[in-house]
Amino acid sequence: MSLSKTHIVFYVLSAFMQAGFLCFSQPIENNPGQDNNPYETGIKFSDSQHEIVFQSLSPDFEYNAVRCIYKDHKGFMWFGTESGLVRYDGINLYMYENITGSSTSLNSSTINVITEDKNKNLWIGTPAGLNLYHREEDNFSGVPDAGDTINALNQMLITALYADENSLVWTGTYNNGLYAYDYKNKRITVYTHNNNDSLSISSDQITCITKDKNGHLWVGTQNGLNLLTSEAVFQHFFNEPDNIYSLSNNHITCLTLDNDCLLYT
């Protein structure tokens, strides 16, 4: 019996969380089937009915250090790398990099995180700030001007993004706290740690963000897990050495919900 093949295209899975400020250039069309020779290794299912074949681009391909992957509403795959942003439409690769002095290119070649809001806007977080992708123009801008506080998002090291149903893009930063950007009304709310306020967020070093089925916001940091229970009021969760039901570690690296709405950290 001949085996049918399921091809899974691997871009790269090499992720590094380190700060860096690089430059971008403009998009370039590339065909992975012409300029980059794939390498295949096969894995067979135990029922011997299918074979999964993993394909990767040439090790010499410039954009091989991938930090994040996102599939948008059009089905396009976006890959954030250390050397630029890559869009794959199923046939061609399009690369985006910073153009020095250009206000319509990305502001850093290192892409940390990608998300899409309810209006299908694509947001890209980099070590040099937050970017909005304009599909019709095929270019980028920073956060629209609406005061000095919002402008700061165009310069901060972005580590996490979550777009909710209330037109808010929750933005985590490396050392400047949590930002809730209201892109509809162009307003921003900032949440930072305060040693004198036990209800403030536990750390300004944000690592991940998600919401549960009840609409509660969970924020992972380098020092504890936070639940935003009401405006500017956080409940904290930490490792407790004598409590086996507490967190195993205070450095939260990832948050996700399963189909039963159980939260995993």
Side-chain angles (χ1 to χ4, degrees), residues 16-248:
F16 304 94
M17 293 303 297
Q18 53 185 325
F21 294 85
L22 305 178
C23 293
F24 280 73
S25 72
Q26 57 193 25
I28 303 169
E29 182 175 341
N30 193 6
N31 190 321
Q34 294 178 354
D35 298 332
N36 304 281
N37 296 322
Y39 300 84
E40 295 188 359
T41 57
I43 300 178
K44 296 181 180 180
F45 286 117
S46 58
D47 61 7
S48 299
Q49 296 299 311
H50 297 84
E51 180 183 5
I52 297 180
V53 177
F54 296 90
Q55 289 185 309
S56 62
L57 298 177
S58 166
D60 296 329
F61 188 61
E62 182 180 355
Y63 304 87
N64 266 348
V66 173
R67 303 168 70 91
C68 55
I69 301 174
Y70 190 84
K71 181 180 180 180
D72 70 15
H73 74 284
K74 291 180 174 291
F76 295 156
M77 298 299 300
W78 294 85
F79 302 88
T81 80
E82 291 188 346
S83 303
L85 179 67
V86 179
R87 173 166 59 91
Y88 179 56
D89 62 9
I91 299 175
N92 296 310
L93 296 173
Y94 301 85
M95 281 70 80
Y96 302 87
E97 301 175 354
N98 172 264
I99 303 173
T100 303
S102 171
S103 61
T104 59
S105 66
L106 289 162
N107 54 19
S108 172
S109 290
T110 302
I111 310 300
N112 288 336
V113 60
I114 306 167
T115 195
E116 195 173 46
D117 65 34
K118 67 176 185 178
N119 294 331
K120 315 305 181 186
N121 296 312
L122 201 71
W123 298 87
I124 299 97
T126 78
L130 186 61
N131 295 263
L132 173 62
Y133 176 60
H134 303 282
R135 295 183 187 275
E136 292 185 1
E137 295 82 9
D138 195 30
N139 62 22
F140 302 85
S141 69
V143 177
D145 294 339
D148 292 339
T149 302
I150 290 183
N151 288 340
L153 280 177
N154 294 324
Q155 302 174 350
M156 292 183 180
L157 197 165
I158 308 300
T159 55
L161 291 174
Y162 182 86
D164 70 12
E165 68 284 355
N166 299 317
S167 300
L168 296 177
V169 177
W170 293 90
T171 305
T173 69
Y174 177 71
N175 202 30
N176 296 98
L178 175 69
Y179 286 70
Y181 175 56
D182 182 343
Y183 57 85
K184 180 179 180 180
N185 299 303
K186 295 182 173 58
R187 292 199 298 260
I188 201 165
T189 304
V190 185
Y191 303 90
T192 57
H193 176 67
N194 185 341
N195 288 328
N196 298 318
D197 183 1
S198 62
L199 299 179
S200 68
I201 196 166
S202 64
S203 170
D204 288 334
Q205 297 177 306
I206 313 300
T207 56
C208 46
I209 308 167
T210 194
K211 271 193 174 184
D212 62 25
K213 66 176 182 179
N214 296 316
H216 296 145
L217 191 79
W218 293 85
V219 183
T221 76
Q222 292 191 24
N223 184 36
L225 177 64
N226 296 260
L227 171 62
L228 183 58
T229 56
S230 61
E231 187 174 354
V233 175
F234 289 88
Q235 182 179 355
H236 306 143
F237 301 88
F238 297 103
N239 171 258
E240 301 171 23
D242 297 327
N243 182 0
I244 62 173
Y245 299 109
S246 68
L247 290 173
S248 60

